[in-house]
Amino acid sequence: MPEWNTRLAVQYTPQGGQAVTISPIDTFSPSFSLNAEALHSLEATHIGAIFSPPSINFSMTVKAIGNVVGALTALAMNGTLFDITLLEFDGDDWSFSSFVLQQCLITSASPTTATISGAPAATFSGFGLGAAVDAKSADPVKLP
């Protein structure tokens, strides 16, 4: 039975640059839309499928402590492509060895209001042009 002592690390790597750990990070939410539509005809139903390109999006909320929010904002403002990697930092309980969103662009950044208590945060949203998943119980998967 897993003890769930695993921590996840989120990193970004600008093209041609070094990996930078995003910390402290509150949330990271990737989403994939792998669209297929049934093809129908007057004479029959479900005669085939029409596949749309996959859509890979992400959203992350980062505390505005240190230089990570500034670096992510600079990536967004410059339109710099970068990779996002989720990996096990400690332990062995997660389903994946690594999960990489490739050639990402940030399309929106929303900072929170600075208040007297607590650290401000910023939410970054965007999309990736590809993804690679190294699952522990299956062969590695790569989306275009």
Side-chain angles (χ1 to χ4, degrees), residues 30 33 45-46 51 60 83 95 103 108 112 130 139:
S33 295
T45 61
H46 295 88
F51 294 93
M60 66 177 120
D83 293 344
S95 300
Q103 295 183 319
S108 70
T112 62
D139 293 331

Side-chain angles (χ1 to χ4, degrees), residues 24-103:
I25 185 168
D26 290 338
T27 63
F28 182 81
S29 302
S31 65
F32 298 89
S33 295
L34 307 170
N35 300 320
E37 179 183 334
L39 179 62
H40 304 292
S41 173
L42 290 175
E43 4 5 282
T45 61
H46 295 88
I47 61 173
I50 299 172
F51 294 93
S52 299
S55 174
I56 305 163
N57 300 304
F58 67 88
S59 177
M60 66 177 120
T61 302
V62 181
K63 293 281 189 211
I65 300 172
N67 64 350
V68 173
V69 170
L72 289 171
T73 302
L75 290 174
M77 298 298 287
N78 294 328
T80 303
L81 292 172
F82 61 98
D83 293 344
I84 298 175
T85 307
L86 276 75
L87 60 140
E88 289 178 326
F89 186 72
D90 189 18
D92 194 29
D93 299 326
W94 201 40
S95 300
F96 304 101
S97 296
S98 67
F99 181 88
V100 181
L101 297 180
Q102 300 163 328
Q103 295 183 319

